[in-house]
Amino acid sequence: ELKVEQNPLFLSMQEGKNYTIYCNYSTTSDRLYWYRQDPGKSLESLFVLLSNGAVKQEGRLMASLDTKARLSTLHITAAVHDLSATYFCAVGRDDKIIFGKGTRLHILP
Amino acid sequence: EAQVTQNPRYLITVTGKKLTVTCSQNMNHEYMSWYRQDPGLGLRQIYYSMNVEVTDKGDVPEGYKVSRKEKRNFPLILESPSPNQTSLYFCASSSKTGGVEAFFGQGTRLTVV
């Protein structure tokens, strides 16, 4: 059974600091996604990672994938308040997509 | 503009009264799916569809039905809603299950009393 675990589930951090969100999954997967959700809003796609060693960056966010460790990370560099949101990773296997529980990120000015 | 449209956005209903939440996409995507989002549980997949007339169960299909008669539409049907189906529902579509981002609808907040 494919399970996806994110940690931490809650994160409060100061502006300007760096931090990493971790996403572990239990079985082999075809692809891994990162999404952002603002309060009361829908989900916005951030990254899709398809192969071992894949790294993608957009602004202050960088995602990487290690398929051997079954681990993806979302790294936040020099956080700013606008990045406050809930971040989800999701793992695809065959035709199903399983989401983690999300990491609620609160960035303090 | 590429989009996934869900209706209604908000719905309050009574136990046992059949309801349908519609989902439509304008991107000619093959893959569509429904999720429910509950506090502390993240998103859980209810049903998905690989193409017209092809549907399959996700992780939490009990109490739900879907149909895919046209490529653009993927309605979610609750034949006899119960309070434990109170949740926030999202429809999503993508051109294939791998390698392409999914587009999500704006969500439907359903309350069953």
Side-chain angles (χ1 to χ4, degrees), chain A residues 29-35 44-51 53-58 62-65 72 74 88-92 97, chain B residues 94 96-103:
Chain A
S29 167
D30 305 315
R31 63 248 180 238
L32 189 135
Y33 307 85
W34 283 99
Y35 293 92
E44 173 192 356
S45 176
L46 296 174
F47 303 109
V48 180
L49 303 169
L50 299 177
S51 58
V55 177
K56 291 194 175 180
Q57 184 164 3
E58 179 76 30
M62 183 174 71
S64 65
L65 178 62
S72 179
L74 181 66
F88 290 95
C89 70
V91 176
I97 299 176
Chain B
S94 61
K96 55 183 177 181
T97 53
V100 178
E101 64 186 89
F103 291 82

PDB file of all heavy atoms in Angstrom, chain A residues 29-35 44-51 53-58 62-65 72 74 88-92 97, chain B residues 94 96-103:
ATOM      1  N   SER A  29       7.414   4.606  -6.983  1.00  0.00           N
ATOM      2  CA  SER A  29       6.452   5.543  -7.543  1.00  0.00           C
ATOM      3  C   SER A  29       6.899   6.002  -8.924  1.00  0.00           C
ATOM      4  O   SER A  29       8.082   5.987  -9.236  1.00  0.00           O
ATOM      5  CB  SER A  29       6.320   6.748  -6.625  1.00  0.00           C
ATOM      6  OG  SER A  29       5.640   7.801  -7.269  1.00  0.00           O
ATOM      7  N   ASP A  30       5.895   6.431  -9.720  1.00  0.00           N
ATOM      8  CA  ASP A  30       6.201   6.936 -11.052  1.00  0.00           C
ATOM      9  C   ASP A  30       6.591   8.407 -11.041  1.00  0.00           C
ATOM     10  O   ASP A  30       7.365   8.858 -11.875  1.00  0.00           O
ATOM     11  CB  ASP A  30       4.971   6.814 -11.961  1.00  0.00           C
ATOM     12  CG  ASP A  30       4.442   5.402 -12.015  1.00  0.00           C
ATOM     13  OD1 ASP A  30       5.257   4.487 -12.161  1.00  0.00           O
ATOM     14  OD2 ASP A  30       3.215   5.240 -11.901  1.00  0.00           O
ATOM     15  N   ARG A  31       6.018   9.145 -10.097  1.00  0.00           N
ATOM     16  CA  ARG A  31       6.214  10.587 -10.145  1.00  0.00           C
ATOM     17  C   ARG A  31       5.803  11.201  -8.819  1.00  0.00           C
ATOM     18  O   ARG A  31       5.031  10.613  -8.059  1.00  0.00           O
ATOM     19  CB  ARG A  31       5.393  11.227 -11.269  1.00  0.00           C
ATOM     20  CG  ARG A  31       3.886  11.053 -11.079  1.00  0.00           C
ATOM     21  CD  ARG A  31       3.282  10.153 -12.112  1.00  0.00           C
ATOM     22  NE  ARG A  31       1.853  10.006 -11.918  1.00  0.00           N
ATOM     23  CZ  ARG A  31       1.257   8.818 -11.721  1.00  0.00           C
ATOM     24  NH1 ARG A  31       1.975   7.709 -11.718  1.00  0.00           N
ATOM     25  NH2 ARG A  31      -0.039   8.752 -11.533  1.00  0.00           N
ATOM     26  N   LEU A  32       6.299  12.389  -8.560  1.00  0.00           N
ATOM     27  CA  LEU A  32       6.009  13.069  -7.305  1.00  0.00           C
ATOM     28  C   LEU A  32       5.660  14.521  -7.602  1.00  0.00           C
ATOM     29  O   LEU A  32       6.301  15.163  -8.429  1.00  0.00           O
ATOM     30  CB  LEU A  32       7.214  12.989  -6.358  1.00  0.00           C
ATOM     31  CG  LEU A  32       6.927  13.485  -4.940  1.00  0.00           C
ATOM     32  CD1 LEU A  32       7.499  12.531  -3.916  1.00  0.00           C
ATOM     33  CD2 LEU A  32       7.413  14.886  -4.731  1.00  0.00           C
ATOM     34  N   TYR A  33       4.656  15.013  -6.913  1.00  0.00           N
ATOM     35  CA  TYR A  33       4.159  16.365  -7.121  1.00  0.00           C
ATOM     36  C   TYR A  33       4.266  17.179  -5.832  1.00  0.00           C
ATOM     37  O   TYR A  33       4.132  16.644  -4.731  1.00  0.00           O
ATOM     38  CB  TYR A  33       2.666  16.335  -7.495  1.00  0.00           C
ATOM     39  CG  TYR A  33       2.284  15.437  -8.644  1.00  0.00           C
ATOM     40  CD1 TYR A  33       2.031  14.089  -8.448  1.00  0.00           C
ATOM     41  CD2 TYR A  33       2.140  15.948  -9.937  1.00  0.00           C
ATOM     42  CE1 TYR A  33       1.654  13.270  -9.501  1.00  0.00           C
ATOM     43  CE2 TYR A  33       1.758  15.136 -10.991  1.00  0.00           C
ATOM     44  CZ  TYR A  33       1.515  13.795 -10.762  1.00  0.00           C
ATOM     45  OH  TYR A  33       1.145  12.981 -11.805  1.00  0.00           O
ATOM     46  N   TRP A  34       4.449  18.455  -5.992  1.00  0.00           N
ATOM     47  CA  TRP A  34       4.317  19.403  -4.879  1.00  0.00           C
ATOM     48  C   TRP A  34       3.261  20.431  -5.258  1.00  0.00           C
ATOM     49  O   TRP A  34       3.260  20.966  -6.378  1.00  0.00           O
ATOM     50  CB  TRP A  34       5.634  20.114  -4.583  1.00  0.00           C
ATOM     51  CG  TRP A  34       6.610  19.265  -3.829  1.00  0.00           C
ATOM     52  CD1 TRP A  34       7.657  18.561  -4.339  1.00  0.00           C
ATOM     53  CD2 TRP A  34       6.650  19.046  -2.420  1.00  0.00           C
ATOM     54  NE1 TRP A  34       8.332  17.899  -3.348  1.00  0.00           N
ATOM     55  CE2 TRP A  34       7.739  18.186  -2.148  1.00  0.00           C
ATOM     56  CE3 TRP A  34       5.871  19.484  -1.353  1.00  0.00           C
ATOM     57  CZ2 TRP A  34       8.070  17.763  -0.861  1.00  0.00           C
ATOM     58  CZ3 TRP A  34       6.196  19.065  -0.067  1.00  0.00           C
ATOM     59  CH2 TRP A  34       7.288  18.215   0.168  1.00  0.00           C
ATOM     60  N   TYR A  35       2.379  20.713  -4.275  1.00  0.00           N
ATOM     61  CA  TYR A  35       1.316  21.680  -4.470  1.00  0.00           C
ATOM     62  C   TYR A  35       1.321  22.683  -3.334  1.00  0.00           C
ATOM     63  O   TYR A  35       1.749  22.395  -2.213  1.00  0.00           O
ATOM     64  CB  TYR A  35      -0.061  20.995  -4.490  1.00  0.00           C
ATOM     65  CG  TYR A  35      -0.305  20.095  -5.665  1.00  0.00           C
ATOM     66  CD1 TYR A  35      -0.014  18.743  -5.595  1.00  0.00           C
ATOM     67  CD2 TYR A  35      -0.829  20.599  -6.854  1.00  0.00           C
ATOM     68  CE1 TYR A  35      -0.238  17.909  -6.677  1.00  0.00           C
ATOM     69  CE2 TYR A  35      -1.060  19.767  -7.934  1.00  0.00           C
ATOM     70  CZ  TYR A  35      -0.766  18.430  -7.833  1.00  0.00           C
ATOM     71  OH  TYR A  35      -0.985  17.608  -8.904  1.00  0.00           O
ATOM     72  N   GLU A  44      -2.538  24.689  -6.122  1.00  0.00           N
ATOM     73  CA  GLU A  44      -1.754  25.185  -7.248  1.00  0.00           C
ATOM     74  C   GLU A  44      -0.545  24.288  -7.408  1.00  0.00           C
ATOM     75  O   GLU A  44       0.174  24.013  -6.444  1.00  0.00           O
ATOM     76  CB  GLU A  44      -1.307  26.615  -6.968  1.00  0.00           C
ATOM     77  CG  GLU A  44      -0.338  27.190  -7.975  1.00  0.00           C
ATOM     78  CD  GLU A  44       0.287  28.477  -7.485  1.00  0.00           C
ATOM     79  OE1 GLU A  44      -0.094  28.959  -6.392  1.00  0.00           O
ATOM     80  OE2 GLU A  44       1.168  29.010  -8.183  1.00  0.00           O
ATOM     81  N   SER A  45      -0.320  23.820  -8.620  1.00  0.00           N
ATOM     82  CA  SER A  45       0.822  22.959  -8.872  1.00  0.00           C
ATOM     83  C   SER A  45       2.124  23.748  -8.801  1.00  0.00           C
ATOM     84  O   SER A  45       2.239  24.824  -9.382  1.00  0.00           O
ATOM     85  CB  SER A  45       0.687  22.313 -10.248  1.00  0.00           C
ATOM     86  OG  SER A  45       1.824  21.539 -10.541  1.00  0.00           O
ATOM     87  N   LEU A  46       3.097  23.208  -8.070  1.00  0.00           N
ATOM     88  CA  LEU A  46       4.416  23.831  -7.988  1.00  0.00           C
ATOM     89  C   LEU A  46       5.441  23.070  -8.835  1.00  0.00           C
ATOM     90  O   LEU A  46       6.119  23.656  -9.667  1.00  0.00           O
ATOM     91  CB  LEU A  46       4.889  23.872  -6.527  1.00  0.00           C
ATOM     92  CG  LEU A  46       4.084  24.718  -5.557  1.00  0.00           C
ATOM     93  CD1 LEU A  46       4.596  24.519  -4.134  1.00  0.00           C
ATOM     94  CD2 LEU A  46       4.136  26.177  -5.951  1.00  0.00           C
ATOM     95  N   PHE A  47       5.572  21.782  -8.569  1.00  0.00           N
ATOM     96  CA  PHE A  47       6.592  20.984  -9.247  1.00  0.00           C
ATOM     97  C   PHE A  47       6.072  19.580  -9.525  1.00  0.00           C
ATOM     98  O   PHE A  47       5.266  19.051  -8.777  1.00  0.00           O
ATOM     99  CB  PHE A  47       7.851  20.843  -8.371  1.00  0.00           C
ATOM    100  CG  PHE A  47       8.466  22.147  -7.948  1.00  0.00           C
ATOM    101  CD1 PHE A  47       8.378  22.567  -6.635  1.00  0.00           C
ATOM    102  CD2 PHE A  47       9.149  22.938  -8.862  1.00  0.00           C
ATOM    103  CE1 PHE A  47       8.948  23.764  -6.227  1.00  0.00           C
ATOM    104  CE2 PHE A  47       9.718  24.137  -8.471  1.00  0.00           C
ATOM    105  CZ  PHE A  47       9.617  24.551  -7.153  1.00  0.00           C
ATOM    106  N   VAL A  48       6.599  19.019 -10.610  1.00  0.00           N
ATOM    107  CA  VAL A  48       6.414  17.599 -10.897  1.00  0.00           C
ATOM    108  C   VAL A  48       7.811  17.010 -11.066  1.00  0.00           C
ATOM    109  O   VAL A  48       8.604  17.505 -11.867  1.00  0.00           O
ATOM    110  CB  VAL A  48       5.599  17.373 -12.185  1.00  0.00           C
ATOM    111  CG1 VAL A  48       5.437  15.890 -12.445  1.00  0.00           C
ATOM    112  CG2 VAL A  48       4.252  18.053 -12.084  1.00  0.00           C
ATOM    113  N   LEU A  49       8.113  15.964 -10.331  1.00  0.00           N
ATOM    114  CA  LEU A  49       9.431  15.335 -10.376  1.00  0.00           C
ATOM    115  C   LEU A  49       9.264  13.908 -10.856  1.00  0.00           C
ATOM    116  O   LEU A  49       8.454  13.158 -10.305  1.00  0.00           O
ATOM    117  CB  LEU A  49      10.071  15.353  -8.978  1.00  0.00           C
ATOM    118  CG  LEU A  49      10.207  16.746  -8.351  1.00  0.00           C
ATOM    119  CD1 LEU A  49      10.597  16.627  -6.886  1.00  0.00           C
ATOM    120  CD2 LEU A  49      11.235  17.568  -9.112  1.00  0.00           C
ATOM    121  N   LEU A  50      10.045  13.536 -11.855  1.00  0.00           N
ATOM    122  CA  LEU A  50       9.804  12.253 -12.502  1.00  0.00           C
ATOM    123  C   LEU A  50      10.928  11.246 -12.345  1.00  0.00           C
ATOM    124  O   LEU A  50      10.703  10.047 -12.527  1.00  0.00           O
ATOM    125  CB  LEU A  50       9.557  12.461 -14.001  1.00  0.00           C
ATOM    126  CG  LEU A  50       8.356  13.322 -14.357  1.00  0.00           C
ATOM    127  CD1 LEU A  50       8.278  13.492 -15.864  1.00  0.00           C
ATOM    128  CD2 LEU A  50       7.074  12.692 -13.835  1.00  0.00           C
ATOM    129  N   SER A  51      12.128  11.705 -12.058  1.00  0.00           N
ATOM    130  CA  SER A  51      13.228  10.748 -12.069  1.00  0.00           C
ATOM    131  C   SER A  51      14.160  10.985 -10.882  1.00  0.00           C
ATOM    132  O   SER A  51      14.207  12.065 -10.294  1.00  0.00           O
ATOM    133  CB  SER A  51      14.015  10.878 -13.369  1.00  0.00           C
ATOM    134  OG  SER A  51      14.494  12.193 -13.524  1.00  0.00           O
ATOM    135  N   GLY A  53      17.047  11.988  -8.668  1.00  0.00           N
ATOM    136  CA  GLY A  53      17.972  13.096  -8.787  1.00  0.00           C
ATOM    137  C   GLY A  53      17.380  14.352  -9.383  1.00  0.00           C
ATOM    138  O   GLY A  53      18.064  15.365  -9.507  1.00  0.00           O
ATOM    139  N   ALA A  54      16.105  14.296  -9.751  1.00  0.00           N
ATOM    140  CA  ALA A  54      15.466  15.473 -10.351  1.00  0.00           C
ATOM    141  C   ALA A  54      15.453  16.615  -9.344  1.00  0.00           C
ATOM    142  O   ALA A  54      15.180  16.425  -8.161  1.00  0.00           O
ATOM    143  CB  ALA A  54      14.044  15.143 -10.784  1.00  0.00           C
ATOM    144  N   VAL A  55      15.751  17.788  -9.841  1.00  0.00           N
ATOM    145  CA  VAL A  55      15.727  19.004  -9.030  1.00  0.00           C
ATOM    146  C   VAL A  55      15.053  20.100  -9.852  1.00  0.00           C
ATOM    147  O   VAL A  55      15.396  20.314 -11.005  1.00  0.00           O
ATOM    148  CB  VAL A  55      17.141  19.473  -8.630  1.00  0.00           C
ATOM    149  CG1 VAL A  55      17.061  20.790  -7.849  1.00  0.00           C
ATOM    150  CG2 VAL A  55      17.852  18.414  -7.812  1.00  0.00           C
ATOM    151  N   LYS A  56      14.107  20.771  -9.210  1.00  0.00           N
ATOM    152  CA  LYS A  56      13.442  21.882  -9.879  1.00  0.00           C
ATOM    153  C   LYS A  56      13.381  23.075  -8.931  1.00  0.00           C
ATOM    154  O   LYS A  56      13.197  22.901  -7.726  1.00  0.00           O
ATOM    155  CB  LYS A  56      12.045  21.483 -10.345  1.00  0.00           C
ATOM    156  CG  LYS A  56      12.052  20.478 -11.477  1.00  0.00           C
ATOM    157  CD  LYS A  56      10.703  20.366 -12.136  1.00  0.00           C
ATOM    158  CE  LYS A  56      10.780  19.453 -13.341  1.00  0.00           C
ATOM    159  NZ  LYS A  56       9.475  19.325 -14.016  1.00  0.00           N
ATOM    160  N   GLN A  57      13.500  24.250  -9.504  1.00  0.00           N
ATOM    161  CA  GLN A  57      13.507  25.454  -8.679  1.00  0.00           C
ATOM    162  C   GLN A  57      12.614  26.513  -9.287  1.00  0.00           C
ATOM    163  O   GLN A  57      12.549  26.688 -10.508  1.00  0.00           O
ATOM    164  CB  GLN A  57      14.925  26.004  -8.544  1.00  0.00           C
ATOM    165  CG  GLN A  57      15.016  27.212  -7.617  1.00  0.00           C
ATOM    166  CD  GLN A  57      16.441  27.524  -7.187  1.00  0.00           C
ATOM    167  OE1 GLN A  57      17.385  26.883  -7.625  1.00  0.00           O
ATOM    168  NE2 GLN A  57      16.582  28.506  -6.318  1.00  0.00           N
ATOM    169  N   GLU A  58      11.908  27.203  -8.392  1.00  0.00           N
ATOM    170  CA  GLU A  58      11.071  28.316  -8.807  1.00  0.00           C
ATOM    171  C   GLU A  58      11.151  29.351  -7.699  1.00  0.00           C
ATOM    172  O   GLU A  58      10.615  29.157  -6.604  1.00  0.00           O
ATOM    173  CB  GLU A  58       9.624  27.861  -9.001  1.00  0.00           C
ATOM    174  CG  GLU A  58       8.670  28.963  -9.419  1.00  0.00           C
ATOM    175  CD  GLU A  58       8.821  29.346 -10.880  1.00  0.00           C
ATOM    176  OE1 GLU A  58       9.202  28.473 -11.684  1.00  0.00           O
ATOM    177  OE2 GLU A  58       8.551  30.509 -11.198  1.00  0.00           O
ATOM    178  N   MET A  62      12.749  25.113  -3.922  1.00  0.00           N
ATOM    179  CA  MET A  62      13.467  24.115  -4.709  1.00  0.00           C
ATOM    180  C   MET A  62      13.037  22.730  -4.245  1.00  0.00           C
ATOM    181  O   MET A  62      13.050  22.443  -3.039  1.00  0.00           O
ATOM    182  CB  MET A  62      14.978  24.264  -4.540  1.00  0.00           C
ATOM    183  CG  MET A  62      15.775  23.302  -5.395  1.00  0.00           C
ATOM    184  SD  MET A  62      17.554  23.585  -5.328  1.00  0.00           S
ATOM    185  CE  MET A  62      17.904  23.027  -3.665  1.00  0.00           C
ATOM    186  N   ALA A  63      12.687  21.892  -5.199  1.00  0.00           N
ATOM    187  CA  ALA A  63      12.247  20.542  -4.887  1.00  0.00           C
ATOM    188  C   ALA A  63      13.228  19.549  -5.478  1.00  0.00           C
ATOM    189  O   ALA A  63      13.753  19.757  -6.573  1.00  0.00           O
ATOM    190  CB  ALA A  63      10.849  20.288  -5.433  1.00  0.00           C
ATOM    191  N   SER A  64      13.438  18.453  -4.754  1.00  0.00           N
ATOM    192  CA  SER A  64      14.328  17.404  -5.241  1.00  0.00           C
ATOM    193  C   SER A  64      13.710  16.052  -4.948  1.00  0.00           C
ATOM    194  O   SER A  64      12.811  15.916  -4.121  1.00  0.00           O
ATOM    195  CB  SER A  64      15.699  17.511  -4.562  1.00  0.00           C
ATOM    196  OG  SER A  64      15.573  17.268  -3.172  1.00  0.00           O
ATOM    197  N   LEU A  65      14.219  15.053  -5.673  1.00  0.00           N
ATOM    198  CA  LEU A  65      13.669  13.706  -5.542  1.00  0.00           C
ATOM    199  C   LEU A  65      14.796  12.689  -5.478  1.00  0.00           C
ATOM    200  O   LEU A  65      15.681  12.683  -6.341  1.00  0.00           O
ATOM    201  CB  LEU A  65      12.740  13.389  -6.718  1.00  0.00           C
ATOM    202  CG  LEU A  65      12.114  12.003  -6.747  1.00  0.00           C
ATOM    203  CD1 LEU A  65      11.227  11.767  -5.532  1.00  0.00           C
ATOM    204  CD2 LEU A  65      11.326  11.801  -8.040  1.00  0.00           C
ATOM    205  N   SER A  72      11.395  13.027  -1.056  1.00  0.00           N
ATOM    206  CA  SER A  72      11.466  14.299  -1.763  1.00  0.00           C
ATOM    207  C   SER A  72      11.551  15.413  -0.732  1.00  0.00           C
ATOM    208  O   SER A  72      11.013  15.291   0.377  1.00  0.00           O
ATOM    209  CB  SER A  72      10.241  14.505  -2.641  1.00  0.00           C
ATOM    210  OG  SER A  72      10.304  15.749  -3.312  1.00  0.00           O
ATOM    211  N   LEU A  74      11.305  19.757  -0.159  1.00  0.00           N
ATOM    212  CA  LEU A  74      10.958  21.089  -0.653  1.00  0.00           C
ATOM    213  C   LEU A  74      11.718  22.074   0.224  1.00  0.00           C
ATOM    214  O   LEU A  74      11.442  22.191   1.417  1.00  0.00           O
ATOM    215  CB  LEU A  74       9.457  21.339  -0.569  1.00  0.00           C
ATOM    216  CG  LEU A  74       8.979  22.699  -1.078  1.00  0.00           C
ATOM    217  CD1 LEU A  74       9.201  22.820  -2.584  1.00  0.00           C
ATOM    218  CD2 LEU A  74       7.498  22.915  -0.756  1.00  0.00           C
ATOM    219  N   PHE A  88       1.563  20.556  -0.026  1.00  0.00           N
ATOM    220  CA  PHE A  88       1.287  19.126  -0.109  1.00  0.00           C
ATOM    221  C   PHE A  88       2.263  18.471  -1.071  1.00  0.00           C
ATOM    222  O   PHE A  88       2.543  19.008  -2.142  1.00  0.00           O
ATOM    223  CB  PHE A  88      -0.123  18.877  -0.651  1.00  0.00           C
ATOM    224  CG  PHE A  88      -1.225  19.252   0.281  1.00  0.00           C
ATOM    225  CD1 PHE A  88      -1.837  20.493   0.190  1.00  0.00           C
ATOM    226  CD2 PHE A  88      -1.680  18.364   1.241  1.00  0.00           C
ATOM    227  CE1 PHE A  88      -2.871  20.842   1.040  1.00  0.00           C
ATOM    228  CE2 PHE A  88      -2.721  18.704   2.093  1.00  0.00           C
ATOM    229  CZ  PHE A  88      -3.311  19.941   1.989  1.00  0.00           C
ATOM    230  N   CYS A  89       2.729  17.291  -0.698  1.00  0.00           N
ATOM    231  CA  CYS A  89       3.348  16.436  -1.694  1.00  0.00           C
ATOM    232  C   CYS A  89       2.343  15.335  -2.032  1.00  0.00           C
ATOM    233  O   CYS A  89       1.469  15.001  -1.233  1.00  0.00           O
ATOM    234  CB  CYS A  89       4.667  15.850  -1.218  1.00  0.00           C
ATOM    235  SG  CYS A  89       4.539  14.619   0.080  1.00  0.00           S
ATOM    236  N   ALA A  90       2.462  14.825  -3.232  1.00  0.00           N
ATOM    237  CA  ALA A  90       1.591  13.753  -3.694  1.00  0.00           C
ATOM    238  C   ALA A  90       2.424  12.817  -4.545  1.00  0.00           C
ATOM    239  O   ALA A  90       3.285  13.249  -5.319  1.00  0.00           O
ATOM    240  CB  ALA A  90       0.411  14.301  -4.488  1.00  0.00           C
ATOM    241  N   VAL A  91       2.149  11.546  -4.394  1.00  0.00           N
ATOM    242  CA  VAL A  91       2.924  10.527  -5.104  1.00  0.00           C
ATOM    243  C   VAL A  91       2.011   9.739  -6.019  1.00  0.00           C
ATOM    244  O   VAL A  91       0.910   9.352  -5.619  1.00  0.00           O
ATOM    245  CB  VAL A  91       3.603   9.582  -4.085  1.00  0.00           C
ATOM    246  CG1 VAL A  91       4.336   8.473  -4.789  1.00  0.00           C
ATOM    247  CG2 VAL A  91       4.558  10.373  -3.205  1.00  0.00           C
ATOM    248  N   GLY A  92       2.458   9.532  -7.234  1.00  0.00           N
ATOM    249  CA  GLY A  92       1.679   8.786  -8.198  1.00  0.00           C
ATOM    250  C   GLY A  92       2.236   7.402  -8.420  1.00  0.00           C
ATOM    251  O   GLY A  92       3.449   7.220  -8.492  1.00  0.00           O
ATOM    252  N   ILE A  97      -3.139   8.647  -7.298  1.00  0.00           N
ATOM    253  CA  ILE A  97      -2.305   9.693  -6.705  1.00  0.00           C
ATOM    254  C   ILE A  97      -2.659   9.768  -5.227  1.00  0.00           C
ATOM    255  O   ILE A  97      -3.824   9.928  -4.873  1.00  0.00           O
ATOM    256  CB  ILE A  97      -2.533  11.048  -7.386  1.00  0.00           C
ATOM    257  CG1 ILE A  97      -2.175  10.961  -8.860  1.00  0.00           C
ATOM    258  CG2 ILE A  97      -1.701  12.131  -6.696  1.00  0.00           C
ATOM    259  CD1 ILE A  97      -2.463  12.221  -9.648  1.00  0.00           C
TER     260      ILE A  97
ATOM    261  N   SER B  94      -5.918  16.245 -15.687  1.00  0.00           N
ATOM    262  CA  SER B  94      -4.591  16.343 -16.280  1.00  0.00           C
ATOM    263  C   SER B  94      -4.597  15.577 -17.591  1.00  0.00           C
ATOM    264  O   SER B  94      -5.467  14.739 -17.836  1.00  0.00           O
ATOM    265  CB  SER B  94      -3.508  15.800 -15.348  1.00  0.00           C
ATOM    266  OG  SER B  94      -3.732  14.445 -15.060  1.00  0.00           O
ATOM    267  N   LYS B  96      -2.437  13.390 -18.632  1.00  0.00           N
ATOM    268  CA  LYS B  96      -2.125  11.996 -18.382  1.00  0.00           C
ATOM    269  C   LYS B  96      -1.717  11.880 -16.926  1.00  0.00           C
ATOM    270  O   LYS B  96      -1.461  12.877 -16.272  1.00  0.00           O
ATOM    271  CB  LYS B  96      -1.006  11.494 -19.303  1.00  0.00           C
ATOM    272  CG  LYS B  96       0.270  12.319 -19.231  1.00  0.00           C
ATOM    273  CD  LYS B  96       1.282  11.798 -20.226  1.00  0.00           C
ATOM    274  CE  LYS B  96       2.530  12.679 -20.202  1.00  0.00           C
ATOM    275  NZ  LYS B  96       3.531  12.210 -21.173  1.00  0.00           N
ATOM    276  N   THR B  97      -1.632  10.697 -16.427  1.00  0.00           N
ATOM    277  CA  THR B  97      -1.382  10.565 -14.993  1.00  0.00           C
ATOM    278  C   THR B  97       0.065  10.865 -14.634  1.00  0.00           C
ATOM    279  O   THR B  97       0.384  11.158 -13.515  1.00  0.00           O
ATOM    280  CB  THR B  97      -1.716   9.153 -14.496  1.00  0.00           C
ATOM    281  OG1 THR B  97      -1.024   8.205 -15.293  1.00  0.00           O
ATOM    282  CG2 THR B  97      -3.203   8.897 -14.600  1.00  0.00           C
ATOM    283  N   GLY B  98       0.956  10.781 -15.603  1.00  0.00           N
ATOM    284  CA  GLY B  98       2.357  11.014 -15.269  1.00  0.00           C
ATOM    285  C   GLY B  98       2.936  12.225 -15.953  1.00  0.00           C
ATOM    286  O   GLY B  98       2.652  12.498 -17.108  1.00  0.00           O
ATOM    287  N   GLY B  99       3.716  12.973 -15.245  1.00  0.00           N
ATOM    288  CA  GLY B  99       4.538  14.003 -15.866  1.00  0.00           C
ATOM    289  C   GLY B  99       3.866  15.316 -16.160  1.00  0.00           C
ATOM    290  O   GLY B  99       4.498  16.239 -16.653  1.00  0.00           O
ATOM    291  N   VAL B 100       2.616  15.397 -15.880  1.00  0.00           N
ATOM    292  CA  VAL B 100       1.931  16.651 -16.198  1.00  0.00           C
ATOM    293  C   VAL B 100       1.190  17.118 -14.960  1.00  0.00           C
ATOM    294  O   VAL B 100       0.556  16.334 -14.277  1.00  0.00           O
ATOM    295  CB  VAL B 100       0.939  16.474 -17.363  1.00  0.00           C
ATOM    296  CG1 VAL B 100       0.201  17.781 -17.644  1.00  0.00           C
ATOM    297  CG2 VAL B 100       1.664  16.005 -18.603  1.00  0.00           C
ATOM    298  N   GLU B 101       1.269  18.393 -14.685  1.00  0.00           N
ATOM    299  CA  GLU B 101       0.599  18.913 -13.510  1.00  0.00           C
ATOM    300  C   GLU B 101      -0.903  18.735 -13.644  1.00  0.00           C
ATOM    301  O   GLU B 101      -1.457  18.728 -14.730  1.00  0.00           O
ATOM    302  CB  GLU B 101       0.908  20.392 -13.351  1.00  0.00           C
ATOM    303  CG  GLU B 101       0.361  21.252 -14.492  1.00  0.00           C
ATOM    304  CD  GLU B 101       0.814  22.676 -14.366  1.00  0.00           C
ATOM    305  OE1 GLU B 101       1.884  22.989 -14.892  1.00  0.00           O
ATOM    306  OE2 GLU B 101       0.098  23.456 -13.751  1.00  0.00           O
ATOM    307  N   ALA B 102      -1.539  18.598 -12.504  1.00  0.00           N
ATOM    308  CA  ALA B 102      -2.985  18.518 -12.460  1.00  0.00           C
ATOM    309  C   ALA B 102      -3.546  19.912 -12.192  1.00  0.00           C
ATOM    310  O   ALA B 102      -2.992  20.691 -11.430  1.00  0.00           O
ATOM    311  CB  ALA B 102      -3.429  17.562 -11.361  1.00  0.00           C
ATOM    312  N   PHE B 103      -4.632  20.205 -12.838  1.00  0.00           N
ATOM    313  CA  PHE B 103      -5.366  21.442 -12.600  1.00  0.00           C
ATOM    314  C   PHE B 103      -6.533  21.119 -11.675  1.00  0.00           C
ATOM    315  O   PHE B 103      -7.282  20.177 -11.933  1.00  0.00           O
ATOM    316  CB  PHE B 103      -5.895  22.006 -13.917  1.00  0.00           C
ATOM    317  CG  PHE B 103      -4.826  22.526 -14.824  1.00  0.00           C
ATOM    318  CD1 PHE B 103      -4.113  21.654 -15.630  1.00  0.00           C
ATOM    319  CD2 PHE B 103      -4.533  23.874 -14.886  1.00  0.00           C
ATOM    320  CE1 PHE B 103      -3.119  22.114 -16.477  1.00  0.00           C
ATOM    321  CE2 PHE B 103      -3.547  24.338 -15.737  1.00  0.00           C
ATOM    322  CZ  PHE B 103      -2.840  23.456 -16.525  1.00  0.00           C
TER     323      PHE B 103
END
